[in-house]
Amino acid sequence: MPVDPVNEMAGDERRQWLSILAKAQPGEVIAAWEDLSERPAYSALRAPETGLVLVRGRMGGAGDAFNMGEMTVTRAAVRLESGETGIGYVAGRDRRHAELAAAVDAMMQAPALRPTVEGAVVARLARAQAERRDTAARKAAATKVDFFTMVRTRGPQ
Amino acid sequence: MAYVSVKGGEKAITHAHQWLAEDRRGDPGVSELDVAQVREQLSLAVDRVMSEGSCYDRDLAALAVKQARGDLPEAIFLLRAYRTTLPRFGASLPVETEAMAVRRRVSAAFKDIPGGQVLGPTFDYTHRLLDFALAAEGGAAPEPAPQAEEPQAYPMPNIASVFRHEDLLEHDVRADEPAEPYDLTRQPMKFPADRDQRLQALARGDEGFLLSLAYSSQRGWGSTHPLCGEIRMGEVAVEFVPDELGFPIEIGEITLTECTMLSGFAGSAERPPQYTRGYGLTFGHCERKAMSMAIVDRALRHREVGEQADAPVQDEEFVLYHSDNVEASGFVQHLKLPHYVDFQADLQLIRRLRKEHFERRAALKEAAE
């Protein structure tokens, strides 16, 4: 099937904001949502539901898959009054997190609503994640071992 | 023999559980632990419970630790029981540990591993002296850890990819059309077991059991002479393909610990000499478990390298049938449940045998006289 480059790019963008919404802490998503000046009405297509995703690893780190264990995941799907649908799949058991992720996903797909959430929710959550990642990466770098190499010279020949 | 139902004990059981609840709380004059405190301050207990409970959820594992009064196998049992109440949405794509946002990565084998030796938050090099400052009440929060000017760069190449070009280390293989990995939660144990089945069992396996097996191997009972190629701990994204989308999305980030052990292999007619590898992977920061798992994984691969298998660690039936602490604990601890009828039956038998024994002795004595 030929790949539609426009849709492909739109898919990548959507993957990115869904990732940001999923990796955010539930409290951050709820706070960002409640700080919005206008919040569109939406109805549930799928009420939030908690279940498990079986996490797979790779044998040896890069080989074929093996089943490692499960993680809790909550999913939801909503429809805006303007018709856009959004989904949320988020680690953990926070139903509100999944539902709001779905609402933001729907808004990001609605040209009229996207400016409302793009900066105030998605970019805000992305910044918080980048900051956490950066702090951890700097702490990790501060524990990197600096080896002193003793230069051994041969004795007089 | 039929089972005889015995009624009674309900009141005693209720009272025992009430006492348990009171004992769990301890001295009411001491403030109560909340689940968030367990999650944040007993984080390695939480990690072990998630790992062996085979369910990644820090809050659930912390609740289990609190409810079990810190008895980790009991907490693991609680988490395993809870997971059976949830539907399964599907399986993730395999996590890519080379892309991990590494907080700790050390190689004991290769000093100059690209990316460097990053110690991270470790007990290593502490003096293991009790720190009485932690016992003082109202202690100030510790100083924030120092931060380097430059953040650690990711992704950090792992030991396997560092030596890939030279073929000195065994390569991981990927099938063109990989089969669905074995799933012990849906399929019974089968033997001989493939590596995917073994790794799943080891990932859920009891840390103590795997540690002792790994130790027995190091001491010569099926030794693989391992070197620690690499340990890494940090965060990886989990990708999942929801039915309604049909393409993979990241659904969250989890902390993993991974260990690669290296064992020399002198080569065979078909295979050139090279290092073989053992692999360990756990939820959370469970380093002792990941290292033990890697040693046991390598020992169980004896068939692939033609090693003689005569030690417990190389016997996959022995290892896999006894590594699960929920099963082990259940079978050992069921012995404390009523076995009144077994005992009655045994008593009757032993009484009869003793009577016959003494009658025989008496008869012999009479004959001798």
Side-chain angles (χ1 to χ4, degrees), chain A residues 18-24 26 29 49-51 53 71-76 87-102, chain B residues 89 249-253:
Chain A
L18 285 172
S19 159
I20 291 163
L21 289 163
K23 288 176 180 172
V29 178
E49 177 195 16
T50 298
V53 164
M71 66 189 280
T72 56
V73 173
T74 303
R75 66 181 174 190
I87 66 151
Y89 266 83
V90 302
R93 286 168 300 119
D94 197 304
R95 300 160 68 83
R96 186 93 174 123
H97 183 184
E99 184 182 297
L100 294 181
Chain B
F89 296 157
I249 56 168
E250 292 180 352
I251 56 172
E253 224 172 27

Side-chain angles (χ1 to χ4, degrees), chain B residues 145-159:
Chain B
Q147 295 185 29
E149 299 248 325
E150 282 299 314
Q152 180 63 48
Y154 309 123
M156 200 186 271
N158 62 32
I159 187 86

Side-chain angles (χ1 to χ4, degrees), chain A residues 15 19 54 70 72 133 138, chain B residues 57 83 149 248 250 253:
Chain A
R15 275 163 48 91
S19 159
L54 178 60
E70 286 159 315
T72 56
R133 173 60 49 86
R138 285 175 195 280
Chain B
D57 187 313
R83 74 157 273 286
E149 299 248 325
E250 292 180 352
E253 224 172 27

Side-chain angles (χ1 to χ4, degrees), chain B residues 79-196:
Chain B
L79 194 57
R80 289 268 189 99
Y82 180 82
R83 74 157 273 286
T84 64
T85 66
L86 295 176
R88 185 188 275 177
F89 296 157
S92 78
L93 301 185
V95 290
E96 301 295 347
T97 51
E98 193 159 20
M100 177 184 286
V102 167
R103 281 189 281 146
R104 167 167 169 79
R105 195 288 299 272
V106 291
S107 171
F110 185 35
K111 174 168 93 46
D112 298 316
I113 187 166
Q117 307 278 354
V118 177
L119 301 182
T122 181
F123 289 126
D124 296 351
Y125 315 110
T126 61
H127 294 115
R128 267 72 181 211
L129 300 173
L130 277 176
D131 178 2
F132 289 96
L134 292 173
E137 272 184 55
E143 289 279 311
Q147 295 185 29
E149 299 248 325
E150 282 299 314
Q152 180 63 48
Y154 309 123
M156 200 186 271
N158 62 32
I159 187 86
S161 54
V162 167
F163 286 99
R164 187 167 293 145
H165 64 288
E166 272 191 283
D167 203 33
L168 296 177
L169 263 57
E170 149 193 39
H171 296 284
D172 288 323
V173 285
R174 284 198 206 174
D176 294 331
E177 307 237 333
E180 276 290 289
Y182 204 86
D183 184 4
L184 282 174
T185 66
R186 301 276 167 97
Q187 296 163 273
M189 206 59 97
K190 74 159 173 59
F191 296 103
D194 288 326
R195 195 179 182 198
D196 54 345

Side-chain angles (χ1 to χ4, degrees), chain B residues 259-274:
Chain B
C259 175
T260 296
M261 289 283 178
L262 307 178
S263 297
F265 169 57
S268 63
E270 294 82 35
R271 289 178 64 166
Q274 66 175 176

Side-chain angles (χ1 to χ4, degrees), chain B residues 131-363:
Chain B
D131 178 2
F132 289 96
L134 292 173
E137 272 184 55
E143 289 279 311
Q147 295 185 29
E149 299 248 325
E150 282 299 314
Q152 180 63 48
Y154 309 123
M156 200 186 271
N158 62 32
I159 187 86
S161 54
V162 167
F163 286 99
R164 187 167 293 145
H165 64 288
E166 272 191 283
D167 203 33
L168 296 177
L169 263 57
E170 149 193 39
H171 296 284
D172 288 323
V173 285
R174 284 198 206 174
D176 294 331
E177 307 237 333
E180 276 290 289
Y182 204 86
D183 184 4
L184 282 174
T185 66
R186 301 276 167 97
Q187 296 163 273
M189 206 59 97
K190 74 159 173 59
F191 296 103
D194 288 326
R195 195 179 182 198
D196 54 345
Q197 179 189 339
R198 295 195 303 254
L199 285 172
Q200 185 183 16
L202 298 179
R204 301 157 64 83
D206 182 75
E207 175 176 315
F209 181 68
L210 298 185
L211 174 68
S212 294
L213 281 174
Y215 183 45
S216 73
S217 165
Q218 277 184 290
R219 292 193 64 255
W221 297 68
S223 180
T224 61
H225 306 281
L227 277 174
C228 185
E230 181 180 305
I231 294 168
R232 59 170 59 198
M233 182 276 291
E235 283 65 47
V236 298
V238 180
E239 284 191 290
F240 178 71
V241 182
D243 289 337
E244 49 279 59
L245 290 181
F247 57 82
I249 56 168
E250 292 180 352
I251 56 172
E253 224 172 27
I254 58 176
T255 302
L256 296 178
T257 304
E258 182 188 54
C259 175
T260 296
M261 289 283 178
L262 307 178
S263 297
F265 169 57
S268 63
E270 294 82 35
R271 289 178 64 166
Q274 66 175 176
Y275 275 104
T276 56
R277 297 189 287 132
Y279 188 66
L281 186 66
T282 75
F283 285 152
H285 191 183
C286 298
E287 205 158 297
R288 192 185 299 115
K289 161 82 182 268
M291 294 178 76
S292 305
M293 178 173 168
I295 291 172
V296 175
D297 169 51
R298 174 58 190 78
L300 288 172
R301 296 179 63 203
H302 57 83
R303 277 193 299 267
E304 295 172 52
V305 285
E307 281 164 351
Q308 194 187 343
D310 47 17
V313 71
Q314 297 165 311
D315 182 334
E316 64 183 14
E317 286 198 41
F318 179 78
V319 173
L320 301 192
Y321 269 138
H322 302 113
S323 59
D324 190 286
N325 61 22
V326 176
E327 286 174 10
S329 177
F331 200 52
V332 169
Q333 293 207 75
H334 99 282
L335 288 175
K336 67 192 171 186
L337 298 176
H339 282 63
Y340 306 144
V341 176
D342 303 52
F343 186 58
Q344 277 303 325
D346 278 352
L347 277 183
Q348 281 177 16
L349 177 67
I350 290 175
R351 277 196 191 110
R352 184 165 57 81
L353 292 175
R354 281 174 64 88
K355 190 164 158 261
E356 287 165 7
H357 169 83
F358 288 119
E359 280 168 3
R360 265 197 315 275
R361 287 273 299 265

